[in-house]
Amino acid sequence: MPVAVVTRVNGPLVEVSDLRGVAMFDQVTVKGLPGEVVSLRGERATVQMYEYTGGLMPGLPVEATGIPLSAPLGPHLLGGVFDGLLRPLEQASMWLDPRSREGAETRSWRFTPLVAEGRAVEPGAPVGAVTMAGGLSYLVLASGGTVGSIRPAGEYPAEAPIATVGGHEMTMVRRWPIRRALPYRERLAEPVPLITGQRVLDLLLPVQRGGTTAVPGGFGTGKTVLLQQIAKWCDADVVVYVGCGERGNEMADVISELGQLGDPRTGGRLADRTVMIANTSNMPMMAREASIYTGVTVAEHFRDMGYDAVLITDSTSRWAEARREFASRSGALPAEEGYPADLASAIAAFYERAGRVTTLGGRTGSVTILGAVSPPGGDMTEPVTTHTQRFVRTLWSLDRDLAYARHYPAVSWEASFSRDDESLAQWHDRTGREGWAATRARISALLAEADHLSGIAELVGTAALHARERVVLLGGRLLREGLLQQSALSPTDAYCTPERTIALAGTVLAAIDDCLALVSGGVPADEIESRDFSAVLRAKESG
Amino acid sequence: MIELEYTDVAELRGPLIVVRGVGGVGWDEFASIHLPGGDVRHGLVLEVDGDLALVQVLEGTSGMTPGRIGVAFSGTPFRVPVGPGWLGRVCDGLGSPLDGGPPIFGSTTMPVSGLPLNPAWRVPPAEPILTGVSVIDALTTLVRGQKIAVFSSPGLPHLDLAAQIAAQAHASGGPFSVIFAAMGLTHADALGVRDALEARTAAAELVLLLNLADDPVIERILTPRIALTVAEHLAFHLGRHVLVVLADMTSYCEALREVSSVRGEIPARRAYPGYLYSDLASIYERCGKVRGLPGSVTLLPVLTMPAGDITHPVPDLTGYITEGQIVLSRDVPGYPPVDSLASISRLMRHGVGAGRTRREHVDLAAQLLAALTRARQARELAEFVGTDALSSLDRRYLDLARAFDERLVAQGREESHGLEETFDRAWQVLSTLPRTELTMLDAAAVDANYREAR
């Protein structure tokens, strides 16, 4: 039987002849380097390689593994740093040499059985728990069947057999093909907010658990700082942070900050509830393409245990560019700006992996996806940005003018949207934060009017406006500076609870109402404008 | 080892040769091409397909005739010798001496494409490099291990500034070296750079790689990679703090576009190849500091924005990868024309302060930028209503803007300001304002430094 051999090498694209019996997206190896079958024509296959292919040449044998590209999902994930294929980076060498990338997981974990031998369990039911640093309980989920045997409580290596269920041996690790969504029982319709701790988002542009958000912004608009703030402070159980083709120093910064910061909810470190996937811009391009799928698979894995997981990908533009580069090398006909024609459907399919669901095991869990978009030249009409906007439920557009004016987070309330804003405001009202919806509506209306008036004032001057309109303009400024601006560097202001957000909103609105009352009582606008509002503007800085 | 030489050239096209009948040739291998008369050129394998190899010739294909050239493959990617032997040398864009000295030898060689640095081994940059240029040291401090770009419109003295930084920069704790890689510079510009850096070359603290405007375009693709390979060795094996200046990255990107176009690749924005981001990242990401090692590589790419357009793909993609930018603008009078409000060093906050520069550094920079913003608004207002109609406070802000340009920005091309002098000048500028305006600085710092003008 002829051996499968390489016939052509062009960067990460490798063509193979005589590759029999393989399926699309099966993993293959060439000289120990991993690759994935992306097209089959007869017995000729096109493979995308996940490592630098220098030195690969026609004639080299190719081995098929018979399984799709899969990620090992286990207790080692929390607190760890991984590359785009979920290989641990902390145990890897200083220089990432493609030929020395194996590092088997050797640590042991404290396992406690949750079912007795002889019991039948449903698919997705936990057969045991692993105690984790930071207080989160890692659940080992069964694929269903009768428990034949189970180990007693004790410390076991992650890859050691701990139970036999339905005739299959189980370990604490499961492997799952990254491009296939993990199954669940049903999607839940009721929207529940994810609290980010950022006032402008929680109040005006909220995201629901299981929702999808895109964050487009040109360079220098503070995208990374905003996403890092959310990674640190949002009220999810697990945060998966994917550095997809971004800066190495930035990843080093996130890793070191999360390692130092405490988690106010568990008493552990923030890093203990975080999985970092760092496939920086100079690491192999196709592993970067895989990294967002790896990330969402990890998030789904924790969702299945009944947790609320948040996936942050910075940025999806780099993922799209990796797909474009590969499509170009494989000779695919380009659509818009050289991107392959499946760009829109690929973006949609990725975001559709988000959701709040009843898991197979009957728990409630969610995957929320926040995807950064880096529009070339800040051009919001380019394909990745425009397609993404269509499929997400929330859009947080970052604005260069706000950033230059040092208004952070530089989220433009005009160019952004949340399709769940009304229903989430109702949720706050129902669950003990009465007046949330009314406050939100009032602030949106005031901001819209102030923005409209400031456009007019730029043409005719402030003095030409009516006194009431001048007070509305002033109110817009108080809302922006006293409520919406939030310093990521201030220890008291970096995170804001919903209670504090609504209290602060009340303080600023009360000041605006006073001014409106004064102006309707005949007090000149000049006098109101020259009052000292520093107490209102500084309220957010007091603890 | 006797190298097999292939002579069956199927095609010559732009800087590319297609060689037929090859065996055992791998992707990204380095090749040497022998011409009749003994001329040797160098190439890289861009693709292997069956028995065909597509080779990119670094020095170009002019004068080549099929049937009269031989191509030999080395079996490895392109490597250069590394070591301290580079310090004090002036070479061409491929690392061959231009200073009349012997070829550069090193105890070991490294592939110029390098390997990615494991992000889990990186240490966030947190120590300054002082350039002796006041406006940069005060407001956009370079941090060891970061990458920060200089963006310039055509015709502005960005090379003078780059050369001045290369000549003056220093870091405390550990020896300091500079590698200046020129890509596509004119002879006049190159001469200026060489002169400005002569003292540093003589002190064996500098490596100069010169690929000139009339040198082969394709050679430019290797110049920055050679510079960075040498830099990584000096930093991570020999413990030096290395500053790498790459000028002009726009010329580099044009070279990349040229090869891409000849290969018939599908063009992306402005006909640059779709992998421009990845390619630039493979250069810019080679900076950093590593856990447990003393040295650092700091990167200063310099580029001209075609027609001054910051959204052009080259500055745009560079901005997405670098950690800040120093923007030169025609609107700033004098030298260096740094537009402070458009410039930022993202990692500066971690790299300055007590024990590094001065305790009040972050607040001082924030106060200066806030005051400049206010001064700019006052100036715009004055254009409508006249200076006389401004409030006395607004006029003080106009005074500040003038003092800023005269006292902090303006500096001679060979003038180096120490840290004390820079801070002294910055405080003189702030002292043009009433003391009550300095709300971002703490009272102790103001007490110690504020001296109201006149």
Side-chain angles (χ1 to χ4, degrees), chain B residues 61-359:
Chain B
T61 50
S62 73
M64 288 187 177
T65 312
R68 301 192 59 201
I69 53 176
V71 183
F73 296 93
S74 68
T76 72
F78 183 48
R79 301 173 76 93
V80 288
V82 289
W86 283 91
L87 292 168
R89 300 300 304 270
V90 180
C91 299
D92 69 9
L94 289 178
S96 304
L98 288 177
D99 53 7
I104 290 152
F105 289 105
S107 51
T108 174
T109 65
M110 300 292 283
V112 295
S113 53
L115 289 170
L117 179 56
N118 184 340
W121 281 66
R122 285 183 182 270
V123 180
E127 301 285 342
I129 286 180
L130 297 175
T131 64
V133 178
S134 284
V135 66
I136 293 175
D137 289 348
L139 298 180
T140 45
T141 317
L142 269 56
V143 186
R144 279 176 232 172
Q146 90 171 130
K147 44 198 176 300
I148 183 164
V150 175
F151 289 174
S152 172
S153 294
L156 292 178
H158 53 286
L159 278 176
D160 293 6
L161 181 62
Q164 186 175 9
I165 293 171
Q168 296 176 176
H170 61 280
S172 58
F176 189 81
S177 311
V178 178
I179 301 184
F180 195 108
M183 287 155 282
L185 292 200
T186 61
H187 283 264
D189 282 339
L191 204 63
V193 168
R194 219 172 148 162
D195 282 352
L197 299 178
E198 202 169 351
R200 198 144 216 176
T201 310
E205 292 175 336
L206 188 114
V207 185
L208 192 53
L209 296 176
L210 293 172
N211 166 278
L212 302 180
D214 56 352
D215 282 341
V217 168
I218 309 306
E219 202 175 282
R220 256 158 239 173
I221 290 172
L222 278 190
T223 306
R225 295 186 163 85
I226 295 171
L228 287 159
T229 306
V230 173
E232 280 171 354
H233 189 265
L234 289 173
F236 303 128
H237 290 262
L238 302 177
R240 290 175 164 264
H241 296 297
V242 187
L243 173 68
V244 183
V245 181
L246 305 172
D248 178 323
M249 286 305 290
T250 306
S251 298
Y252 168 85
C253 294
E254 282 163 359
L256 204 65
R257 177 168 66 178
E258 217 170 300
V259 181
S260 171
S261 162
V262 177
R263 294 189 64 190
E265 289 172 343
I266 294 159
R269 274 201 301 159
R270 303 224 185 169
Y272 286 97
Y275 49 80
L276 185 60
Y277 179 87
S278 298
D279 190 276
L280 285 174
S282 75
I283 293 173
Y284 297 151
E285 274 294 320
R286 292 174 77 176
C287 63
K289 264 184 72 62
V290 178
R291 202 167 70 203
L293 294 181
S296 61
V297 176
T298 309
L299 205 52
L300 190 78
V302 179
L303 54 90
T304 39
M305 302 178 282
D309 177 12
I310 201 166
T311 67
H312 180 278
V314 176
D316 184 51
L317 294 178
T318 299
Y320 269 120
I321 308 169
T322 53
E323 290 130 1
Q325 62 272 348
I326 296 165
V327 179
L328 305 190
S329 162
R330 275 181 209 292
D331 299 335
V332 178
Y335 175 88
V338 173
D339 179 353
S340 295
L341 291 179
S343 303
I344 185 171
S345 169
R346 292 164 189 265
L347 304 179
M348 170 177 169
R349 169 166 290 274
H350 304 295
V352 301
R356 296 194 167 95
T357 52
R358 281 258 290 254
R359 192 178 60 85

Side-chain angles (χ1 to χ4, degrees), chain A residues 39-291:
Chain A
S39 88
L40 286 165
R41 209 176 313 113
E43 280 156 4
R44 300 176 63 83
T46 305
V47 170
Q48 62 182 22
M49 299 299 293
Y50 286 110
E51 291 282 7
Y52 168 71
T53 50
L56 291 196
M57 58 182 74
L60 287 174
V62 178
E63 280 174 52
T65 60
I67 50 164
L69 183 67
S70 301
L73 305 168
H76 65 290
L77 293 172
L78 288 171
V81 185
F82 304 88
D83 75 359
L85 302 184
L86 217 57
R87 295 176 296 188
L89 283 171
E90 279 155 321
Q91 290 94 309
S93 55
M94 169 180 155
W95 299 110
L96 294 173
D97 189 327
R99 286 153 302 184
S100 61
R101 286 308 313 280
E102 279 315 306
E105 187 54 47
T106 53
R107 280 174 293 173
S108 289
W109 304 88
R110 177 94 205 153
F111 173 80
T112 313
L114 295 176
V115 292
E117 282 177 17
R119 286 276 301 278
V121 291
E122 303 248 291
V127 299
V130 177
T131 317
M132 305 294 302
L136 202 70
S137 178
Y138 177 92
L139 300 177
V140 183
L141 305 179
S143 52
T146 304
V147 180
S149 68
I150 190 157
R151 295 275 197 122
E155 295 227 349
Y156 304 103
E159 302 266 13
I162 39 115
T164 316
V165 179
H168 296 288
E169 202 163 70
M170 290 184 60
T171 70
M172 289 179 237
V173 178
R174 70 168 158 176
R175 271 165 226 283
W176 190 264
I178 59 166
R179 293 182 198 278
R180 196 181 306 155
L182 279 157
Y184 52 84
R185 201 179 284 169
E186 63 173 342
R187 281 180 183 263
L188 296 170
E190 185 214 16
V192 178
L194 177 82
I195 304 298
T196 64
Q198 305 297 306
R199 289 185 290 271
V200 61
L201 306 181
D202 290 341
L203 194 59
L204 298 182
L205 298 159
V207 57
Q208 61 164 305
R209 289 169 192 262
T212 49
T213 299
V215 190
F219 72 84
T221 52
K223 203 162 18 116
T224 301
V225 174
L226 177 64
L227 292 175
Q228 288 183 10
Q229 283 301 102
I230 295 171
K232 283 180 204 161
W233 304 119
C234 76
D235 65 347
D237 301 305
V238 173
V239 174
V240 183
Y241 195 106
V242 184
C244 174
E246 290 294 308
R247 306 174 180 104
N249 279 332
E250 230 157 49
M251 294 309 293
D253 201 38
V254 188
I255 295 167
S256 97
E257 282 213 13
L258 289 178
Q260 286 161 13
L261 284 173
D263 185 342
R265 299 189 308 150
T266 64
R269 296 175 312 147
L270 274 179
D272 296 332
R273 62 151 197 187
T274 310
V275 182
M276 297 282 302
I277 296 177
N279 212 98
T280 56
S281 58
N282 61 336
M283 287 164 72
M285 183 198 68
M286 292 321 297
R288 181 201 308 169
E289 194 274 332
S291 68

Side-chain angles (χ1 to χ4, degrees), chain B residues 382-396:
Chain B
E383 280 173 14
F384 286 107
V385 299
T387 314
D388 293 342
L390 293 184
S391 69
S392 63
L393 185 59
D394 278 343
R395 283 201 295 272
R396 295 284 287 269

Side-chain angles (χ1 to χ4, degrees), chain B residues 358-403:
Chain B
R358 281 258 290 254
R359 192 178 60 85
E360 77 271 24
H361 196 154
V362 169
D363 294 339
L364 181 102
Q367 182 76 72
L368 273 169
L369 291 172
L372 273 181
T373 310
R374 170 94 190 254
R376 192 170 281 189
Q377 288 162 355
R379 196 183 297 156
E380 281 167 12
L381 192 60
E383 280 173 14
F384 286 107
V385 299
T387 314
D388 293 342
L390 293 184
S391 69
S392 63
L393 185 59
D394 278 343
R395 283 201 295 272
R396 295 284 287 269
Y397 272 97
L398 292 184
D399 291 344
L400 170 122
R402 199 173 315 115

